[in-house]
């Protein structure tokens, strides 16, 4: 009996010895699998970080929707009168006028509810020619008064008043002054209104320009006008709105 028990114990030890390498191999394989899993998981984490680093910064920036435009790929119907860019502050309009002047645009205008100091220089405007109209009209009035008085009193119908000579020029001065002022005062505003186009049907770009809006207008009859290029130029000025206006005002 004792021998049989010893033999049975030896057999159990041998079987345990035989099974232990397999268990060892299984545990080793398990450790390798876990290690490989960790190795696989780590590159995934690194790859995700690299992907996050490769995301362009522009993708994280919310696009600016403050610029409203009717030019997003839509060609306006009908003949184009020009392109207008709207701003919220007079200083922005002043800067836009300087940029339009430097870009060599000639047929452009800056519109605001009130005069802006320095706008003439910003637009590259010279001295107005209206004073020459006033000067010419005043000279015409002076010449008219002088010719009428001297011609009538000295040559056409000479008369003696109070014993004075026929050409008593000091008495002609008030009439010459009055006609000088009259001709200049009437001609100047009339020519100014005609030059400003007040007797033509106006092109209404926006009714709020006279209230609280500021606009830079580039007309289609400018020799450098190209609608797409003008729209791109307007966008570079960061306006609040860009609008292409047809000749019918739409």
């Amino acid at each position: 009996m004792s021998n049989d028990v010893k033999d049975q114990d030896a057999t159990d030890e041998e079987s345990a010895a035989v099974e232990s390498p397999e268990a060892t191999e299984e545990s080793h394989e398990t450790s390798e699998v876990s290690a490989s899993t960790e190795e696989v998981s780590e590159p995934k984490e690194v790859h995700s970080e690299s992907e996050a680093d490769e995301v362009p910064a522009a993708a994280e920036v919310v696009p600016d929707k403050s610029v409203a435009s009717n030019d997003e790929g839509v060609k306006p119907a009908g003949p184009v009168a020009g392109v207008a860019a709207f701003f919220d502050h007079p200083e922005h309009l002043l800067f836009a006028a300087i940029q339009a002047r430097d870009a060599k645009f000639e047929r452009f205008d800056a519109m605001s509810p009130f005069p802006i100091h320095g706008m003439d220089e910003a637009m590259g405007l010279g001295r107005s020619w209206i004073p020459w109209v006033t000067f010419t009209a005043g000279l015409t009035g002076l010449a008219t008064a002088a010719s009428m008085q001297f011609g009538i009193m000295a040559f056409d119908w000479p008369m003696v008043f109070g014993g004075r000579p026929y050409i008593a020029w000091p008495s002609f001065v008030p009439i010459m002054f009055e006609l000088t002022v009259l001709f200049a005062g009437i001609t100047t505003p009339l020519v100014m209104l005609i030059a400003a186009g007040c007797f033509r049907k106006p092109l209404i770009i926006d009714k709020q320009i006279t209230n609280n809006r500021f606009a830079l207008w580039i007309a289609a009859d400018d020799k450098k006008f190209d609608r797409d290029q003008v729209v791109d130029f307007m966008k570079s000025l960061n306006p609040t709105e860009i609008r292409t206006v047809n000749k019918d005002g739409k």
Side-chain angles (χ1 to χ4, degrees):
M1 289 294 292
S2 62
N3 292 330
D4 294 335
V5 172
K6 290 180 180 180
D7 293 337
Q8 185 66 32
D9 294 334
T11 302
D12 295 335
E13 289 176 0
E14 289 177 357
S15 62
V18 171
E19 292 176 358
S20 61
E22 294 179 356
T24 304
E25 290 178 358
E26 290 178 358
S27 62
H28 180 67
E29 291 177 357
T30 303
S31 62
E32 288 180 353
V33 170
S34 61
S36 63
T37 304
E38 292 176 357
E39 292 176 357
V40 172
S41 62
E42 289 178 359
K44 286 183 179 179
E45 293 177 358
V46 173
H47 183 64
S48 62
E49 291 178 357
S50 62
E51 288 180 351
D53 294 335
E54 292 177 357
V55 175
E60 300 176 358
V61 178
V62 179
D64 185 12
K65 297 181 180 179
S66 60
V67 178
S69 175
N70 65 348
D71 298 292
E72 299 299 331
V74 179
K75 296 291 184 181
V80 176
V83 179
F86 296 88
F87 303 89
D88 289 334
H89 197 275
E91 294 296 332
H92 300 166
L93 178 59
L94 189 66
F95 174 78
I98 295 174
Q99 298 302 312
R101 178 201 65 192
D102 294 341
K104 304 303 181 183
F105 287 106
E106 296 180 357
R107 301 286 295 177
F108 74 95
D109 197 2
M111 306 175 185
S112 67
F114 50 83
I116 301 175
H117 180 69
M119 183 57 72
D120 291 346
E121 293 80 3
M123 295 178 63
L125 300 178
R127 183 177 174 84
S128 175
W129 51 271
I130 294 295
W132 290 105
V133 174
T134 306
F135 178 75
T136 303
L139 276 182
T140 303
L142 177 64
T144 302
S147 61
M148 289 181 64
Q149 293 182 97
F150 281 98
I152 292 173
M153 299 300 295
F155 304 102
D156 186 29
W157 197 352
M159 291 181 291
V160 177
F161 291 94
R164 290 189 293 269
Y166 294 136
I167 304 177
W169 66 267
S171 62
F172 299 163
V173 172
I175 303 300
M176 290 189 292
F177 172 78
E178 292 295 338
L179 283 187
T180 300
V181 175
L182 179 65
F183 277 48
I186 293 178
T187 305
T188 300
L190 183 62
V191 172
M192 183 183 64
L193 293 175
I194 294 174
C198 294
F199 297 102
R200 299 192 302 264
K201 183 180 179 180
L203 178 64
I204 299 176
I205 301 173
D206 191 283
K207 295 181 180 180
Q208 297 300 320
I209 291 178
T210 56
N211 294 336
N212 57 1
R213 303 200 75 179
F214 305 89
L216 177 70
W217 170 258
I218 298 180
D221 55 357
D222 190 282
K223 62 182 181 181
K224 289 188 60 179
F225 184 86
D226 179 85
R227 176 182 169 276
D228 296 334
Q229 293 180 1
V230 171
V231 169
D232 293 338
F233 169 75
M234 294 293 198
K235 289 181 179 179
S236 67
L237 302 176
N238 194 24
T240 58
E241 181 183 354
I242 300 174
R243 185 181 304 172
T244 298
V245 182
N246 296 338
K247 290 187 177 180
D248 57 359
K250 297 181 181 178

